[in-house]
Amino acid sequence: MVFCYLKLSLLGDESLLFAAPKMTDSQQLISEQLEGLEIKLEINTWNDDLTNSSLRALHEALPNTRQLAWSDQLFAILAETTLPENGRMRISDNLAGLYGHHLNMFRVNKREEPDWDIVQTATFVLDIADEEFRQEKKYDKKYNTDSGITLRTDFKKNFLNWIEINLQDFQEAGFGGSPLKIFNQLCVYAKEGQALRLSQEKK
């Protein structure tokens, strides 16, 4: 409620909250800082065991506890993947915060809560990871582009391991084959969905 009030004060018109208005540079800067602060405050409220994470909350209505396990495991990978200081405005310090930012953008653009299975969630994560890592490539880190998207090599390794651990969930979602085959197909979906997401976020 507090952040909604601050954004309303910034825009000056309640009808603009979901209308993606054109803002001045200073308004845009303040808006981004508010959003970054909101995400950081949310992250600080999560327990160390991740039981209150937004990613878990996204799936908590699902009765299968195995699905809760894969979401917690994925969020742990995101939280451990730190983002470097690179001169641009930082939305977050790790991929977990970046995920939270884009999840909020999804809520604003769709005006609904996402109801994603393991495939949809993995695709969304690979989409935002690719966008971030393509911007990082000039820094002293190793990257891999074999799959058609740009990923930091350590993140790709952890993501492949996560797929292998949760292979049964992917099989139940209709994805067969090896973890690498599943990963490559997810990357194709991620790249296809990225253009649509970016167009929606820029409206």
Side-chain angles (χ1 to χ4, degrees):
M1 291 177 63
V2 171
F3 281 101
C4 184
Y5 173 79
L6 291 173
K7 291 173 185 176
L8 176 59
S9 299
L10 175 66
L11 299 173
D13 184 347
E14 186 173 2
S15 66
L16 297 178
L17 278 174
F18 295 101
K22 292 183 178 179
M23 293 184 281
T24 65
D25 289 344
S26 60
Q27 286 178 316
Q28 183 68 37
L29 177 63
I30 295 171
S31 176
E32 291 176 356
Q33 289 176 333
L34 283 174
E35 188 167 31
L37 178 59
E38 185 175 9
I39 291 169
K40 287 181 182 296
L41 287 175
E42 180 184 2
I43 291 174
N44 288 337
T45 66
W46 297 340
N47 293 335
D48 290 339
D49 62 0
L50 304 178
T51 54
N52 291 329
S53 75
S54 288
L55 191 54
R56 173 154 187 168
L58 179 63
H59 300 284
E60 66 182 0
L62 300 175
N64 191 334
T65 56
R66 195 172 70 246
Q67 290 175 306
L68 298 179
W70 66 249
S71 65
D72 279 351
Q73 292 162 7
L74 181 57
F75 185 83
I77 293 173
L78 299 180
E80 292 167 2
T81 307
T82 58
L83 305 183
E85 177 62 62
N86 50 21
R88 57 190 168 86
M89 180 171 294
R90 300 179 66 185
I91 295 172
S92 57
D93 296 320
N94 54 37
L95 278 183
L98 191 64
Y99 177 94
H101 163 72
H102 288 291
L103 194 62
N104 285 337
M105 295 294 289
F106 176 92
R107 292 183 179 117
V108 169
N109 291 320
K110 298 291 187 179
R111 301 188 184 185
E112 64 183 35
E113 289 293 323
D115 183 18
W116 296 334
D117 61 16
I118 191 170
V119 171
Q120 293 166 313
T121 304
T123 300
F124 187 75
V125 166
L126 288 172
D127 164 15
I128 64 172
D130 169 58
E131 183 183 8
E132 170 62 30
F133 293 142
R134 278 188 288 109
Q135 298 178 63
E136 289 183 15
K137 283 184 70 174
K138 61 182 179 179
Y139 294 92
D140 186 22
K141 292 183 180 295
K142 296 186 179 293
Y143 295 86
N144 183 281
T145 58
D146 294 343
S147 56
I149 65 176
T150 300
L151 296 176
R152 199 184 295 164
T153 51
D154 60 337
F155 175 81
K156 179 179 178 179
K157 179 181 178 181
N158 291 335
F159 199 90
L160 279 167
N161 184 57
W162 172 76
I163 292 176
E164 185 171 7
I165 292 172
N166 298 283
L167 202 55
Q168 184 177 345
D169 291 276
F170 281 101
Q171 291 170 345
E172 291 175 359
F175 274 57
S178 67
L180 182 59
K181 181 180 178 180
I182 292 172
F183 172 78
N184 287 331
Q185 187 59 58
L186 291 172
C187 289
V188 172
Y189 289 169
K191 205 61 181 178
E192 289 174 350
Q194 189 174 80
L196 177 60
R197 175 183 62 80
L198 291 174
S199 66
Q200 290 174 336
E201 291 185 0
K202 291 178 180 177
K203 286 181 179 178

